Amino acid sequence: MIETPFNYTGSKFKLLEQLLPVFDYNKPYFVDVFAGGGSIYTNVVDRYQKILVNDVISDLIGIHKNLILGDDIISETKELCPGKNNPTGFTELRNSYNDSPTPAKLWGLMLSSTNNMMRFNQKFKYNQTYGDRSWNANTDKKVETFVNHIRQYKNNIKFTSVTFNELYVNKNAMYYLDPPYGRIKNEDGSIGKKQISEAGYNAFWKENDDIKLYEFIHQINNEGASFMVSGVLNHDGKVCWMLDKLISEGFNCRPLNFDYNKVSRKGEKETTEVIITNY
Ligand SMILES: C[S@@+](CC[C@H](N)C(=O)[O-])C[C@H]1O[C@@H](n2cnc3c(N)ncnc32)[C@H](O)[C@@H]1O
């Protein structure tokens, strides 16, 4: 399995072994609706005729796209990275990104941020803090492995950056949806106010997006396309409204094994991550 060079928050890399056997390979096309760090499309690209890679963060899609095209973004990002012990350089890069964003600046920021986590405020300005880290030998290794693999398929991959429900639904496609966390379910079954958990890209997730996503999933199903949606069903006693609703409608649900307590050291909080499919 190929690890992409982004250390992306919410990456499904550790769950790939459990996801790969479950995708519907009878469809010729694959759509990675919420591609993020790209660990999914990267590892199914040899199984489909065409792949569509989408994420609402256009500079993130720009990184993927530029990496498949050539080495310019690699040298540019290396040059932009502030390096270690350089908080001032980080602040300058962040200001520069917020004034005039480019994919290379975003990648440089991601590599230098606290815990490698990107984070945006409600005005979509990058606001993560300096993590005293940078491009390193491990990044070089990961980039080399990634580009050697992905460039073989460059004619089969298309990139888009739109909000999920602007994507065309094609009955010949397998849609993989790995959205930001959804809102919780109240005791009476209605939708609660809070998200089940938080992530740095939640600024791009609007209040009613989980309802729109629920409708989009039904649209995929009604067209005769295949879908797999993954997400946290239960966390610390709370239930995700959208996933719970799909399960109650009879779609297939499988739990994933992932010991979040070990990874995130969240004490005793119990988390169940699931995948739901229509096939
Ligand atoms: C859980 S992450 C996906 C992680 C990915 N599967 C991986 O392995 O790296 C969710 C992604 O959804 C994206 N996103 C947020 N709102 C979106 C929207 N309205 N439409 C499309 N993508 C969106 C975020 O930018 C983020 O990259």
Side-chain angles (χ1 to χ4, degrees):
M1 270 170 283
I2 310 284
E3 192 170 3
T4 65
F6 309 116
N7 300 317
Y8 201 75
T9 314
S11 160
K12 286 294 169 292
F13 184 71
K14 292 202 171 84
L15 296 171
L16 265 172
E17 237 170 83
Q18 296 172 71
L19 299 181
L20 287 179
V22 188
F23 290 120
D24 181 0
Y25 297 106
N26 293 314
K27 300 285 185 191
Y29 309 138
F30 184 89
V31 185
D32 199 347
V33 178
F34 300 91
S39 47
I40 301 300
Y41 85 82
T42 300
N43 288 285
V44 297
V45 66
D46 56 335
R47 305 288 301 269
Y48 292 90
Q49 284 174 29
K50 295 272 181 221
I51 304 266
L52 185 69
V53 179
N54 180 66
D55 197 284
V56 76
I57 303 179
S58 60
D59 290 320
L60 181 65
I61 287 298
I63 302 172
H64 288 279
K65 200 170 163 176
N66 283 307
L67 268 174
I68 218 170
L69 290 176
D71 291 342
D72 287 359
I73 186 157
I74 300 172
S75 42
E76 205 185 323
T77 305
K78 272 184 170 179
E79 212 165 288
L80 283 166
C81 269
K84 285 178 72 78
N85 273 320
N86 187 4
T88 313
F90 177 84
T91 306
E92 280 166 11
L93 178 61
R94 196 173 59 189
N95 291 342
S96 163
Y97 178 76
N98 286 333
D99 284 345
S100 84
T102 68
K105 288 179 194 171
L106 178 61
W107 194 11
L109 283 171
M110 284 159 71
L111 288 167
S112 323
S113 290
T114 303
N115 297 326
N116 277 139
M117 266 192 201
M118 70 155 113
R119 196 179 66 197
F120 294 87
N121 66 19
Q122 290 302 321
K123 290 184 176 150
F124 308 113
K125 296 290 180 195
Y126 197 92
N127 70 351
Q128 184 57 289
T129 49
Y130 181 49
D132 198 13
R133 53 173 71 226
S134 191
W135 189 295
N136 57 34
N138 201 23
T139 321
D140 274 323
K141 259 196 246 158
K142 282 189 191 168
V143 168
E144 192 185 342
T145 313
F146 175 67
V147 298
N148 285 343
H149 166 72
I150 209 69
R151 286 180 188 168
Q152 304 172 78
Y153 304 98
K154 74 168 167 218
N155 296 329
N156 304 356
I157 307 179
K158 276 206 163 139
F159 297 92
T160 56
S161 180
V162 295
T163 192
F164 60 89
N165 57 354
E166 289 171 18
L167 289 170
Y168 171 74
V169 177
N170 181 332
K171 69 174 187 333
N172 294 316
M174 157 82 227
Y175 288 78
Y176 173 57
L177 308 114
D178 184 23
Y181 304 109
R183 284 175 294 179
I184 57 173
K185 179 174 111 166
N186 291 327
E187 284 194 357
D188 63 2
S190 61
I191 311 175
K193 277 213 157 72
K194 288 200 170 134
Q195 304 286 326
I196 197 155
S197 196
E198 291 296 331
Y201 34 71
N202 279 1
F204 294 87
W205 195 241
K206 307 279 174 312
E207 195 178 339
N208 287 326
D209 272 359
D210 47 3
I211 299 177
K212 289 184 187 155
L213 180 59
Y214 167 79
E215 290 165 356
F216 184 63
I217 289 171
H218 272 276
Q219 194 189 337
I220 296 172
N221 185 52
N222 294 339
E223 288 290 337
S226 296
F227 76 76
M228 178 198 287
V229 54
S230 56
V232 171
L233 174 63
N234 297 296
H235 175 64
D236 194 19
K238 294 172 285 189
V239 176
C240 172
W241 168 82
M242 193 205 64
L243 297 176
D244 183 69
K245 186 146 174 70
L246 291 171
I247 295 167
S248 73
E249 289 168 353
F251 291 112
N252 300 316
C253 176
R254 300 171 179 76
L256 296 169
N257 298 319
F258 190 19
D259 190 349
Y260 271 103
N261 291 339
K262 255 192 222 151
V263 178
S264 61
R265 296 194 203 97
K266 279 186 180 150
E268 296 305 308
K269 293 180 183 176
E270 203 177 294
T271 300
T272 322
E273 184 144 12
V274 296
I275 48 179
I276 300 174
T277 61
N278 65 338
Y279 52 88

